[in-house]
């Protein structure tokens, strides 16, 4: 299969997605100074909760199902049993886009097989205990400066990237009577230098233009699940453009 250029994909998706980018003030980012970048974690929430713009936290989701119930639901609900494919696909999209853009990264196998990396542990368990990491990666939310320096040296990394996704479904009215359910994805990206200083942080939010029709509470879950990859591709292309500025 011929590989589709991310530049072409970006142009195609520009007309198909509404994307909002939020940024926060940070230290001046220098791509050359933090290369190669080690992508240490890519993870997401396990289900597709309804997006609530009034929620105090963007992570206020319906992921609190006990493990046994979640596993049972996984067998019947594509919104749940596709979670590993969804986050693995997002991870691959990130790595492919960085590679195509000429942004040097640390080999994924080198990271996953590193003893220092495997010793890392989550700090805030209450908020991450149900999240799902991409295959081969760990969920990591915080490290001490000493850990950053040690791991950077072990991996030969100039910078370390942390990515967390939140996937939602959102009702969008159409016309006088119809409602459609759209895919909504947010991607938080943090990059730290080899000394543990945060040098980049942005959040990207994509809402698909098309959706699956809401028929009095019934909708095609398979069709909805199929809408997420394109929102991720667009968000990642936005990230790459920011990194290359």
């Amino acid at each position: 299969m011929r590989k589709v250029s991310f530049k072409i994909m970006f142009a195609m998706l520009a007309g198909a997605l509404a994307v909002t980018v939020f940024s926060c003030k940070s230290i001046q980012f220098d791509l050359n100074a933090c290369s190669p970048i080690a992508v240490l974690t890519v993870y997401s929430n396990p289900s597709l909760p309804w997006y609530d713009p009034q929620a105090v936290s963007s992570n206020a989701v319906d992921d609190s199902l006990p493990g046994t119930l979640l596993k049972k639901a996984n067998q019947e609900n594509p919104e749940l049993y596709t979670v590993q494919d969804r986050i693995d696909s997002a991870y691959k999209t990130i790595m492919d886009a960085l590679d195509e853009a000429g942004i040097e990264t640390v080999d994924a196998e080198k990271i996953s097989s590193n003893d220092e990396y495997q010793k890392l542990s989550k700090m805030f368990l209450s908020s991450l205990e149900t999240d799902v990491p991409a295959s081969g990666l760990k969920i990591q939310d915080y490290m001490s400066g000493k850990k950053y320096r040690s791991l950077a040296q072990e991996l030969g990394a100039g910078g370390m990237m942390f990515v967390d996704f939140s996937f939602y479904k959102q009702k969008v009215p159409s016309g006088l009577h119809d409602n459609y359910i759209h895919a909504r994805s947010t991607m938080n990206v943090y990059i730290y230098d080899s000394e543990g200083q945060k040098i980049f942080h942005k959040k990207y939010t994509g809402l698909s233009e098309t959706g699956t029709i809401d028929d009095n509470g019934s909708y095609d879950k398979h069709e909805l699940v199929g809408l997420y990859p394109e929102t991720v591709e667009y968000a990642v292309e936005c990230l790459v453009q920011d990194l290359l500025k």
Side-chain angles (χ1 to χ4, degrees):
M1 182 179 292
R2 184 173 64 87
K3 185 177 181 181
V4 179
S5 167
F6 271 85
K7 292 182 179 179
I8 296 175
M9 180 68 73
F10 179 74
M12 294 169 59
L13 291 174
L17 297 172
V19 174
T20 306
V21 179
F22 303 91
S23 65
C24 67
K25 187 176 181 180
S26 62
I27 300 172
Q28 184 65 38
F29 178 74
D30 182 353
L31 179 60
N32 292 325
C34 68
S35 294
I37 295 175
V39 181
L40 295 184
T41 188
V42 180
Y43 64 90
S44 77
N45 54 322
S47 62
L48 298 177
W50 293 104
Y51 173 69
D52 179 5
Q54 304 302 319
V56 175
S57 167
S58 61
N59 291 320
V61 298
D62 60 357
D63 298 333
S64 58
L65 288 171
T68 53
L69 292 179
L70 189 57
K71 288 179 181 178
K72 182 179 179 180
N74 276 346
Q75 301 171 13
E76 304 169 356
N77 186 349
E79 294 180 4
L80 296 174
Y81 68 65
T82 58
V83 59
Q84 192 66 61
D85 290 339
R86 188 157 52 245
I87 195 59
D88 284 350
S89 174
Y91 176 39
K92 185 177 186 303
T93 297
I94 291 170
M95 299 305 291
D96 286 350
L98 294 176
D99 178 63
E100 186 169 315
I103 298 174
E104 187 180 1
T105 59
V106 176
D107 184 73
E109 186 174 343
K110 184 177 182 179
I111 296 172
S112 61
S113 63
N114 182 268
D115 289 339
E116 287 291 322
Y117 178 74
Q118 290 300 327
K119 292 176 183 176
L120 296 177
S121 60
K122 296 176 288 185
M123 181 64 66
F124 303 110
L125 296 177
S126 61
S127 63
L128 298 173
E129 57 189 5
T130 62
D131 288 332
V132 179
S135 297
L137 297 183
K138 295 168 64 70
I139 295 178
Q140 188 62 34
D141 57 319
Y142 172 81
M143 294 192 300
S144 66
K146 182 179 179 180
K147 282 288 187 182
Y148 277 109
R149 291 188 291 273
S150 176
L151 191 57
Q153 185 175 11
E154 285 270 335
L155 297 175
M160 287 161 283
M161 181 184 292
F162 297 72
V163 184
D164 68 86
F165 283 92
S166 292
F167 297 111
Y168 304 93
K169 52 194 175 190
Q170 179 175 349
K171 288 185 179 181
V172 178
S174 176
L176 295 176
H177 306 290
D178 292 333
N179 279 309
Y180 283 82
I181 300 172
H182 291 233
R184 183 183 183 94
S185 303
T186 66
M187 180 179 75
N188 260 303
V189 180
Y190 299 82
I191 300 177
Y192 293 81
D193 65 18
S194 58
E195 295 296 316
Q197 294 292 317
K198 183 171 67 176
I199 55 176
F200 182 93
H201 171 219
K202 282 196 175 182
K203 181 171 77 171
Y204 305 84
T205 298
L207 178 67
S208 63
E209 183 178 14
T210 60
T212 181
I213 193 164
D214 179 10
D215 183 13
N216 293 319
S218 178
Y219 60 95
D220 188 332
K221 294 183 178 181
H222 291 281
E223 182 180 2
L224 175 66
V225 165
L227 297 175
Y228 288 91
E230 64 185 30
T231 66
V232 172
E233 287 164 358
Y234 189 89
V236 170
E237 183 63 30
C238 289
L239 165 66
V240 168
Q241 289 193 353
D242 283 341
L243 296 182
L244 293 177
K245 285 182 180 178

